[in-house]
């Protein structure tokens, strides 16, 4: 083996290592980006779930208030009907 073959052999090994390093760095960057997308997706889903829970809580409060109003109206109508019946008697 002469010296030119050793140099060529060493250069190809350096190139292989450089390409491997570049591929590893690229894979690391892709993995980091994917991880950020996954985490961001989870955070957005958690935020949406919290917003939905808040909306549901407000809807329940509104329905309870409406139920109270209907109860009051029912009592008022019942009172008015009873009063009209007493007037007729």
């Amino acid at each position: 083996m002469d010296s030119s073959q050793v140099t060529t052999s060493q250069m190809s090994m350096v190139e292989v290592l450089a390409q491997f390093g570049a591929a590893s760095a690229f894979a690391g960057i892709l993995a980091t980006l994917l991880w950020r997308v996954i985490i961001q997706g989870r955070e957005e889903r958690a935020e949406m779930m919290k917003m939905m829970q808040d909306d549901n809580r407000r809807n329940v409060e509104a329905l309870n208030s409406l139920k109270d109003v209907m109860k009051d109206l029912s009592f008022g109508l019942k009172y008015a009907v009873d009063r009209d019946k007493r007037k007729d008697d």
Side-chain angles (χ1 to χ4, degrees):
M1 207 184 227
D2 62 356
S3 64
S4 66
Q5 287 177 342
V6 171
T7 307
T8 306
S9 172
Q10 289 174 347
M11 285 298 283
S12 64
M13 192 63 142
V14 169
E15 288 174 357
V16 168
L17 288 175
Q19 289 176 356
F20 180 74
S24 295
F26 184 69
I29 290 169
L30 285 180
T32 302
L33 291 174
L34 180 62
W35 183 252
R36 285 184 182 176
V37 166
I38 290 170
I39 295 296
Q40 184 178 3
R42 287 181 182 170
E43 289 172 353
E44 287 175 1
R45 278 195 304 270
E47 186 178 325
M48 286 177 58
M49 290 296 290
K50 184 180 182 309
M51 287 172 49
M52 288 172 59
Q53 288 174 346
D54 291 344
D55 288 345
N56 288 343
R57 189 176 308 114
R58 282 192 296 271
N59 288 341
V60 167
E61 290 172 359
L63 286 173
N64 286 336
S65 297
L66 183 61
K67 186 176 84 172
D68 292 342
V69 168
M70 295 298 285
K71 205 182 283 185
D72 292 344
L73 285 173
S74 174
F75 177 76
L77 287 173
K78 188 175 182 182
Y79 176 77
V81 168
D82 289 344
R83 187 184 66 207
D84 287 346
K85 281 184 182 178
R86 281 184 267 149
K87 279 185 183 179
D88 290 342
D89 292 337

